[in-house]
Amino acid sequence: MAITKEQVLHVAKLARLNLTDEETERLRGDMENIIGFADKLNELDTEGVVPTAHAIPMQNAFREDVVIPSYDREAILQNAPDRDEEAFVVPKVVE
Amino acid sequence: MDYETVIGLEIHAELSTNTKIYCGCKNEFGGEPNTHVCPVCSGMPGTLPVLNKKVVDYAIKAGLAMNCDITPYGKQDRKNYFYPDLPKAYQISQFDLPVCQHGHIDIEVEGQKRTIGITRIHIEEDAGKLVHDDYGSGSMVDYNRCGVPLIEIVTEPDLRSSEEARVFLDTLKSILEYTEVSDCKMQEGSLRCDVNVSVRPVGQKEFGTRCEMKNVNSFRAAVRAMDYERKRQIEVLEDGGEVVQETRRWDDTRGMSVVLRSKEDAQDYRYFPEPDLVPIVISDEWIEEIRATIPEMPAQRKARYVSEYGLPEYDAFIITASKHMADFFDACVAAGATPKTVANWLMGDILKVMNDKELEEIPFAAADLAKLIALIEGGTISNSAAKKVLDEMFANPHDPEEIVKEKGLVQISDEGAIKALVDEVIAANPQSVADYKAGKGKAMGFLVGQCMKASQGKANPQLINKLLKEALEAL
Ligand SMILES: [Zn+2]
């Protein structure tokens, strides 16, 4: 399946990636290969096969509803690019 | 032309679990910013979520209470979008296999029964909270709410007026309260709703183009937003225009909505199965185990109040709509108060004060209301004094007997003392006495009022009546 430059740029925009022309062209080729591989799988007859939700044959991995202490706020905030005493600080956003 | 409104709702309810959905941090409103946070809920790289079983229990419970099918094999999915209140840049939610599907809730609007379809109920995590700094250049992010478990309840577009939607929301809220899956505290944001509205000419089969309204923070705001949107869309159509599909933001202070984004800018969430979480398989045994925990629901309780206690339908409906109110009622009755009298107090003075003060809960104990009623019925205080006691119970909740003593509200039922008052009033009002003798019934009321006044409202009105009549007849 052919992937266009526009499709690559659309996906890049959704992922907030800025690509150079060279990167765009390289990723276009990669995506074509990946989608092509998925197309290959489409050749199989999957009639009546339930879609796989997870690769590991495991289900119902739960925890009990029991409180465990949270982290010290200082530890949580210490890697923040910008912060004040009690919160992360981000560029002003209003939706 | 006449138009019909078509409304669908998406309701988010925070679940009352002890912990968050994927980590052991406390699920608790308030708290200093970023103190209920760990590497999992702040989205640190390399961490793994583990699903809280209680969240699935609660979703099943809500689903059963709303007549849903429980999905035997479900999964969780990632919904991708960028916003600073979402540290992972994706929200774990459910896409095609939600915990519950195909349910319905019966409501009663103006005496008519309506069945409103529930499309689905799914589990997901809440986002954090952004605090906008008025003077600084940035926004502060508090992740305490991040990872708090939610259920999102999506209805079919079955509602036909804002009044129906209001009744539906009230009914839904009481179901969530009764099953105790959410505390439904609107002021704390435990219950939020998005509203989808379209209009179409009466008789037309196809739906009109719908608009979604965000930021509706109360049921009252929801009703206003729906009425506004109906009017706006009709105006567009009447002007020969077309309604454009878009997401709008409701501004309750200004009483209007503004465009948030158009259909073209609609976000592409690129849902995909969450690889960090395994499928949720719900057995029949699990479902039955949860079904056994569902308590008497509002509709059953209402029927019981009517048949067992003889309450009017309306009173029974209002009292049972709130679990808090119904529990309070039951506790008063258990403490020995007459059901009818308790209902009268709840429906009258108590609801009025709660509405005026915008209280969600009665601040005093049920036993205290039972005591207050006993004080009236035993003749210790008059009805008017009881209202003063009730005011004090709201202002500063404590034992009504103490309040009666503190405020000196004990009713005077001493015949000698009242006889003295009656004689005084008769002596001071010869004209009214003459009027009474001349057969003017009104004069009696005036004289009773004067006796009551002379006693500062404390005299037993039945005794005044009796003694005054005797004294006047003897003249
Ligand atoms: Zn956490």
Side-chain angles (χ1 to χ4, degrees):
Chain A
M1 185 187 169
I3 296 290
T4 64
K5 184 183 170 189
E6 284 67 40
Q7 284 170 317
V8 177
L9 291 177
H10 174 68
V11 175
K13 188 185 168 203
L14 289 174
R16 304 294 188 274
L17 295 174
N18 287 312
L19 304 178
T20 63
D21 282 351
E22 195 188 318
E23 286 166 329
T24 307
E25 185 47 35
R26 200 183 70 225
L27 285 165
R28 200 190 60 76
D30 287 351
M31 277 174 72
E32 229 165 52
N33 284 336
I34 294 164
I35 303 287
F37 179 66
D39 273 347
K40 182 94 190 142
L41 294 177
N42 274 342
E43 289 169 14
L44 283 171
D45 180 10
T46 53
E47 190 66 33
V49 178
V50 184
T52 306
H54 204 276
I56 307 169
M58 199 181 157
Q59 63 195 39
N60 293 357
F62 297 127
R63 24 172 287 273
E64 292 304 311
D65 187 25
V66 177
V67 176
I68 53 172
S70 295
Y71 269 45
D72 183 55
R73 176 160 71 192
E74 211 32 54
I76 288 294
L77 292 175
Q78 70 180 351
N79 289 328
D82 193 6
R83 52 168 290 190
D84 63 11
E85 304 85 71
E86 53 184 34
F88 296 88
V89 175
V90 296
K92 196 164 210 155
V93 274
V94 183
E95 184 168 70
Chain B
M1 196 186 292
D2 274 347
Y3 292 89
E4 181 178 56
T5 323
V6 175
I7 300 165
L9 301 170
E10 288 163 28
I11 300 105
H12 288 89
E14 283 182 356
L15 301 179
S16 17
T17 52
N18 297 325
T19 64
K20 294 188 177 182
I21 184 167
Y22 300 118
C23 64
C25 288
K26 244 189 233 163
N27 169 17
E28 193 179 84
F29 181 79
E32 286 293 301
N34 293 301
T35 52
H36 303 159
V37 180
C38 75
V40 173
C41 57
S42 57
M44 297 291 177
T47 56
L48 286 171
V50 187
L51 180 57
N52 182 346
K53 180 168 179 287
K54 200 89 230 187
V55 172
V56 188
D57 286 345
Y58 281 177
I60 297 172
K61 198 171 182 184
L64 292 174
M66 296 177 204
N67 311 293
C68 291
D69 296 336
I70 307 301
T71 309
Y73 182 90
K75 67 174 169 65
Q76 295 166 87
D77 301 272
R78 288 190 185 178
K79 177 179 178 180
N80 300 278
Y81 66 92
F82 290 93
Y83 207 64
D85 62 7
L86 190 71
K88 301 192 297 293
Y90 59 83
Q91 177 193 29
I92 306 178
S93 179
Q94 293 191 289
F95 184 57
D96 56 334
L97 295 171
V99 175
C100 319
Q101 298 184 76
H102 315 305
H104 64 87
I105 295 179
D106 292 330
I107 59 170
E108 213 178 291
V109 186
E110 284 150 13
Q112 287 214 289
K113 207 179 120 181
R114 295 262 292 117
T115 296
I116 308 303
I118 303 292
T119 314
R120 56 185 278 155
I121 303 175
H122 68 253
I123 56 171
E124 62 184 24
E125 55 179 339
D126 208 345
K129 209 189 268 170
L130 284 176
V131 183
H132 302 296
D133 186 342
D134 283 338
Y135 46 91
S137 58
S139 294
M140 263 88 73
V141 198
D142 174 8
Y143 286 138
N144 281 351
R145 200 180 64 182
C146 202
V148 162
L150 296 175
I151 48 174
E152 180 176 336
I153 302 154
V154 182
T155 77
E156 292 291 306
D158 286 344
L159 297 157
R160 292 291 174 269
S161 69
S162 59
E163 174 61 10
E164 274 188 21
R166 191 191 58 76
V167 174
F168 174 85
L169 286 168
D170 282 339
T171 310
L172 178 80
K173 181 169 181 259
S174 59
I175 292 174
L176 294 173
E177 280 177 357
Y178 271 65
T179 49
E180 294 180 323
V181 302
S182 173
D183 66 15
C184 295
K185 288 189 181 152
M186 308 281 295
Q187 282 118 321
E188 296 181 2
S190 302
L191 202 60
R192 317 191 279 269
C193 86
D194 296 334
V195 181
N196 288 294
V197 179
S198 66
V199 297
R200 62 180 169 190
V202 169
Q204 180 181 307
K205 272 206 133 159
E206 305 79 46
F207 289 134
T209 307
R210 70 190 163 93
C211 288
E212 181 180 8
M213 228 139 10
K214 298 255 183 206
N215 195 43
V216 181
N217 294 322
S218 67
F219 290 173
R220 203 186 55 87
V223 168
R224 291 183 71 203
M226 289 177 237
D227 288 339
Y228 173 90
E229 190 56 20
R230 171 187 156 88
K231 193 159 162 273
R232 188 189 71 81
Q233 292 184 11
I234 291 175
E235 275 170 14
V236 169
L237 295 175
E238 295 275 292
D239 286 351
E242 261 181 52
V243 175
V244 182
Q245 189 178 335
E246 59 198 5
T247 305
R248 303 177 66 88
R249 180 193 173 80
W250 175 248
D251 183 335
D252 202 47
T253 354
R254 287 157 71 205
M256 60 182 293
S257 66
V258 289
V259 182
L260 198 58
R261 54 180 169 260
S262 67
K263 191 188 172 192
E264 287 72 42
D265 301 330
Q267 282 173 307
D268 179 349
Y269 293 122
R270 291 152 296 145
Y271 280 96
F272 65 85
E274 167 57 79
D276 289 342
L277 290 160
V278 297
I280 303 166
V281 176
I282 302 171
S283 65
D284 288 346
E285 293 79 66
W286 189 356
I287 296 173
E288 290 318 311
E289 198 182 294
I290 299 295
R291 199 192 300 280
T293 66
I294 293 181
E296 182 186 43
M297 297 303 283
Q300 298 160 277
R301 204 166 188 177
K302 180 191 150 202
R304 182 165 65 83
Y305 283 6
V306 172
S307 64
E308 205 169 300
Y309 300 134
L311 297 194
E313 288 262 342
Y314 180 75
D315 292 17
F317 173 74
I318 298 290
I319 292 170
T320 56
S322 150
K323 178 169 190 290
H324 167 74
M325 188 75 91
D327 287 347
F328 191 94
F329 174 86
D330 282 349
C332 284
V333 173
T338 320
K340 204 75 184 264
T341 315
V342 177
N344 288 343
W345 278 95
L346 288 174
M347 297 293 295
D349 297 87
I350 293 178
L351 258 182
K352 189 177 171 300
V353 177
M354 287 175 74
N355 287 338
D356 288 349
K357 296 190 173 180
E358 292 183 4
L359 296 179
E360 290 188 26
E361 296 197 345
I362 300 171
F364 49 85
D368 284 344
L369 180 62
K371 236 181 207 177
L372 177 64
I373 292 171
L375 287 171
I376 307 162
E377 288 178 346
T380 311
I381 56 172
S382 66
N383 263 315
S384 58
K387 288 185 198 255
K388 287 181 197 159
V389 177
L390 186 73
D391 284 343
E392 183 64 15
M393 284 160 73
F394 268 106
N396 175 24
H398 58 296
D399 189 338
E401 276 174 27
E402 295 287 318
I403 297 173
V404 167
K405 271 186 216 148
E406 283 160 23
K407 306 228 164 222
L409 294 170
V410 177
Q411 178 164 266
I412 304 169
S413 294
D414 174 55
E415 290 216 11
I418 293 180
K419 182 77 177 58
L421 281 175
V422 165
D423 290 344
E424 238 171 72
V425 167
I426 287 178
N429 297 279
Q431 186 56 51
S432 298
V433 174
D435 286 349
Y436 176 80
K437 285 285 180 191
K440 289 185 186 166
K442 260 194 189 163
M444 182 68 185
F446 174 77
L447 291 169
V448 171
Q450 289 303 301
C451 293
M452 207 61 189
K453 203 170 157 195
S455 76
Q456 289 160 319
K458 290 185 210 165
N460 180 327
Q462 282 86 30
L463 267 183
I464 294 181
N465 252 312
K466 178 175 159 258
L467 295 176
L468 186 62
K469 213 167 230 169
E470 283 172 9
L472 288 168
E473 295 302 326
L475 280 179

